[in-house]
Each structure stands twice: as C-alpha cells, then as structure tokens.
Amino acid sequence: MKDTIISLSRKNRTNNFLKNKIQLKCKCGFSEKITYYDFLSGGKFDVGQTTQMVSTYISESIYDETIRVTPLNLSRKCPVCGEEIRAVFPISVENLIPMLQMAPPDPLMYG
Ligand SMILES: [Zn+2]
C-alpha cells in the first residue's frame, strides 16, 4: 500500500494536486510547509488503521453508505526543539489513490 502511494506520487510529480501544501506546527512555535509531493514521495509516513464510517456525502439514492477510511500519518522531528510533530494527510488513502491514477499524463509524452 505504502509503496503504491510513493510510486504513484513520483509518477505524478508534475500534477498540480501534489503542489498543495500542508502546514506542520510544533508546540514550540516552529512551523513549516511541505508539499503533498514531499509528504508522499518521501515515504516518511505511515498508513494508519482503516476505519469504517458513514459517508457524509448524501445523494438522493445513497444516504447511508458506509465507507472505509485509511488515514496517512506523518511524523517528523522538530528541528528546533526535537519534539515529534504529527500531522494527518487531509485525504484518505481511498480517495488519494484514484486521484493519482486519474491524473493526466505528463504533457512531455506528447512532445
Ligand atoms: Zn518544536
């Protein structure tokens, strides 16, 4: 699972989606922004435990759908105080993988 995410994100490095940023904040006041690409391609994350939850997406035909949600957890040492900074990727694995697979091909392929 983790390897799939790393290789998909590397293949999609030019995808604008991966240029979004996550802010990491430490208790000591240190903060930094890293891109989704850095987060995913660097492999410095753990695939969390899958949980079942009722979808908040409500349509006319489906209103009680149970979905699986697997979080990606990032932890990184604060360069200032050495404490661990934890962050959760804003998109679950189940949503992320199709997003990376749907990504348009690299325009360079068409010359
Ligand atoms: Zn700190």
Side-chain angles (χ1 to χ4, degrees):
M1 177 71 91
K2 186 172 166 174
D3 291 343
T4 307
I5 296 166
I6 295 172
S7 74
L8 276 174
S9 61
R10 285 186 181 161
K11 271 186 218 157
N12 287 285
R13 63 177 308 151
T14 56
N15 188 331
N16 279 333
F17 162 72
L18 290 174
K19 291 175 187 160
N20 286 308
K21 286 182 178 162
I22 305 174
Q23 185 155 37
L24 300 177
K25 270 189 186 162
C26 180
K27 295 180 279 224
C28 74
F30 172 82
S31 78
E32 71 175 330
K33 283 185 176 173
I34 63 167
T35 61
Y36 286 10
Y37 180 77
D38 287 338
F39 182 107
L40 297 169
S41 70
K44 298 229 169 74
F45 59 85
D46 291 311
V47 177
Q49 187 123 27
T50 303
T51 53
Q52 305 262 342
M53 61 182 282
V54 175
S55 175
T56 52
Y57 174 76
I58 297 173
S59 73
E60 284 173 17
S61 54
I62 306 166
Y63 51 89
D64 202 19
E65 190 188 17
T66 303
I67 54 168
R68 285 154 57 86
V69 176
T70 307
L72 292 177
N73 302 312
L74 173 79
S75 72
R76 167 182 267 231
K77 235 183 193 158
C78 173
V80 177
C81 70
E83 286 287 313
E84 213 165 66
I85 306 172
R86 292 176 173 280
V88 178
F89 195 65
I91 299 161
S92 70
V93 174
E94 285 77 7
N95 289 321
L96 176 66
I97 288 181
M99 245 183 241
L100 292 175
Q101 285 169 338
M102 277 187 324
D106 193 326
L108 290 175
M109 277 172 61
Y110 296 104

